[in-house]
């Protein structure tokens, strides 16, 4: 069975609610999923996952230091995450708070690891965002994103080796 990690940092609880919605949907889609607060995470565990989704609040247009620290530590795993699927999500207090740049900063690190990233046609194209609170739109976007990632994971896992 495929293994997924939803790793997050939260201060107000919004990013945690997003992480929970993504993890719940992945589980509903039949993907074994671990939901982990970044403070409880060990970097070497990254290699056991097929899908890694990382969430952070937006601080000054980029990820929280707690998430950046994990990504900085991941350099020791360079090459070991190649071909795995990655994704990101973010929350902010304001509409123009920098959510897209936060998501891009996370996705950039995952791309450098050689991970596969998937955009979303409808909704939040780069990854789900919540503005202010975890409302119905943010929940729907999180669930849709998780379904899209689950479908990609299942597709890649069932594809014949090249």
């Amino acid at each position: 069975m495929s293994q997924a990690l939803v790793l997050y940092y939260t201060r107000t609880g919004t990013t945690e609610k997003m992480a929970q919605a993504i993890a719940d949907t992945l589980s509903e889609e039949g993907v074994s999923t671990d939901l982990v607060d970044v403070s409880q995470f060990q970097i070497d565990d990254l290699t056991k996952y097929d899908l890694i989704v990382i969430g952070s609040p937006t601080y000054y247009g980029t990820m929280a230091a707690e998430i950046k620290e994990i990504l900085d530590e991941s350099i020791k795993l360079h090459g070991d995450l190649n071909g795995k699927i990655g994704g990101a999500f973010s929350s902010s207090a304001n509409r123009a708070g920098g959510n897209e740049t936060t998501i891009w900063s996370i996705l950039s690190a995952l791309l450098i690891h050689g991970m596969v990233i998937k955009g979303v046609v409808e909704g939040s194209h780069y990854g789900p965002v919540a503005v202010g609170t975890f409302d119905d739109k943010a929940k729907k976007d999180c669930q849709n994103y998780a379904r899209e990632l689950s479908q990609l994971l299942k597709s890649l896992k069932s594809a014949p080796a090249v």
Side-chain angles (χ1 to χ4, degrees):
M1 176 181 266
S2 296
Q3 291 282 111
L5 169 67
V6 180
L7 182 67
Y8 69 94
Y9 170 74
T10 193
R11 186 178 294 174
T12 66
T14 302
T15 310
E16 181 178 20
K17 290 174 185 171
M18 296 176 76
Q20 186 69 60
I22 291 168
D24 288 348
T25 304
L26 287 169
S27 293
E28 289 167 10
E29 292 288 314
V31 179
S32 177
T33 305
D34 292 337
L35 174 65
V36 183
D37 181 292
V38 72
S39 67
Q40 305 298 312
F41 190 69
Q42 299 298 314
I43 195 66
D44 291 328
D45 290 342
L46 277 177
T47 59
K48 73 180 185 181
Y49 296 101
D50 305 299
L51 168 62
I52 300 166
V53 187
I54 301 175
S56 175
T58 295
Y59 296 144
Y60 296 101
T62 192
M63 69 187 94
E66 292 81 356
I67 295 295
K68 178 73 164 91
E69 183 178 355
I70 287 289
L71 291 172
D72 286 347
E73 285 182 50
S74 74
I75 189 68
K76 74 183 226 175
L77 303 174
H78 193 72
D80 295 337
L81 304 179
N82 188 42
K84 294 177 183 286
I85 299 170
F89 59 98
S90 183
S91 64
S92 69
N94 301 304
R95 186 169 49 110
N99 279 317
E100 285 185 351
T101 54
T102 298
I103 290 171
W104 267 115
S105 65
I106 295 169
L107 293 178
S108 292
L110 302 182
L111 285 167
I112 290 168
H113 275 295
M115 296 177 70
V116 177
I117 305 299
K118 183 181 184 320
V120 178
V121 176
E122 299 293 328
S124 298
H125 304 295
Y126 307 115
V129 300
V131 178
T133 63
F134 180 66
D135 59 13
D136 288 340
K137 181 181 181 336
K139 182 176 183 179
K140 180 181 174 186
D141 284 348
C142 287
Q143 292 168 329
N144 182 52
Y145 190 58
R147 281 190 288 275
E148 295 261 353
L149 291 174
S150 171
Q151 290 170 6
L152 177 61
L153 177 62
K154 291 173 185 175
S155 175
L156 291 178
K157 284 293 205 173
S158 65
V162 183

